[in-house]
Amino acid sequence: MDQIPGFDEFVETEFTNVLALALAILGNRDDAVDVAQETMARTLAHWHDVARMDRPGAWARRVALNLVTDTLRRRTQRRRLHLRLRAEPPPIAAESSAIEWDRTFWAEVAALPQRQRDAIVLHYVQDLPIAEIAAIVEVPEGTVKSDLSRARDHLRHTVQGTDHGEED
């Protein structure tokens, strides 16, 4: 296979970031790996354009967030189907032992409205500044600040036994 200039380096630097973002939201390593791999495949398919962007990593994160949303939508559809059939929900694959996140907290993060969830993960997991988050999710910086504030307030009130009141 012919080398594609810059793509291998892009994958080396961004794959782990995209994987961490997907894992933080989905809580399931297999699904997160699928999202990260599909993100890289889509990036490769559009590499001619992506390579020219000022922030190709931001483009990849946006793709990953869209894929995460699709995955969550499919999960919800499967749960609804199982409820209709009065079947037990499918077992959830074991999470990576290398990442010790509190399931209750991340379940609450995953349940947030999409923009709030994305802002929380991009800010606290990916450690991105407000301006870059705004560029990725394509909203004004003030909206990102508002989404972060609302998400923190919600998490502070719903996750019990853990201090999530730390402000940034």
Side-chain angles (χ1 to χ4, degrees):
M1 187 171 145
D2 293 336
Q3 292 273 345
I4 298 172
F7 184 71
D8 289 341
E9 293 82 9
F10 175 82
V11 172
E12 285 179 30
T13 59
E14 294 298 332
F15 185 84
T16 304
N17 291 329
V18 170
L19 179 62
L21 179 144
L23 186 57
I25 298 171
L26 297 172
N28 177 290
R29 184 154 180 86
D30 292 336
D31 289 343
V33 168
D34 288 345
V35 164
Q37 290 175 342
E38 180 63 22
T39 298
M40 293 302 128
R42 291 184 184 190
T43 302
L44 177 59
H46 297 279
W47 186 245
H48 180 72
D49 296 322
V50 174
R52 297 177 189 191
M53 294 179 177
D54 290 335
R55 294 192 306 266
W59 186 89
R61 285 182 179 92
R62 176 76 261 155
V63 169
L65 289 170
N66 290 339
L67 291 168
V68 162
T69 298
D70 293 344
T71 301
L72 292 172
R73 213 174 273 135
R74 282 191 302 276
R75 280 185 187 174
T76 300
Q77 290 168 345
R78 280 195 307 264
R79 285 187 191 116
R80 286 181 184 151
L81 175 62
H82 284 281
L83 286 173
R84 282 188 200 134
L85 299 174
R86 298 191 192 286
E88 291 296 315
I92 297 175
E95 295 175 345
S96 169
S97 61
I99 299 175
E100 299 291 332
W101 284 320
D102 176 49
R103 285 184 182 188
T104 304
F105 174 76
W106 288 107
E108 288 295 330
V109 170
L112 287 169
Q114 180 180 346
R115 263 196 358 232
Q116 290 178 21
R117 180 198 70 215
D118 294 350
I120 286 288
V121 172
L122 289 169
H123 189 65
Y124 291 105
V125 175
Q126 297 284 296
D127 199 28
L128 296 179
I130 301 293
E132 191 164 349
I133 296 168
I136 290 169
V137 298
E138 301 172 334
V139 297
E141 289 182 31
T143 302
V144 173
K145 290 176 185 178
S146 175
D147 288 339
L148 282 169
S149 177
R150 287 184 180 128
R152 285 189 295 248
D153 287 345
H154 175 79
L155 293 170
R156 188 177 300 115
H157 291 98
T158 59
V159 180
Q160 298 190 7
T162 307
D163 181 20
H164 291 285
E166 182 180 325
E167 293 294 321
D168 189 56

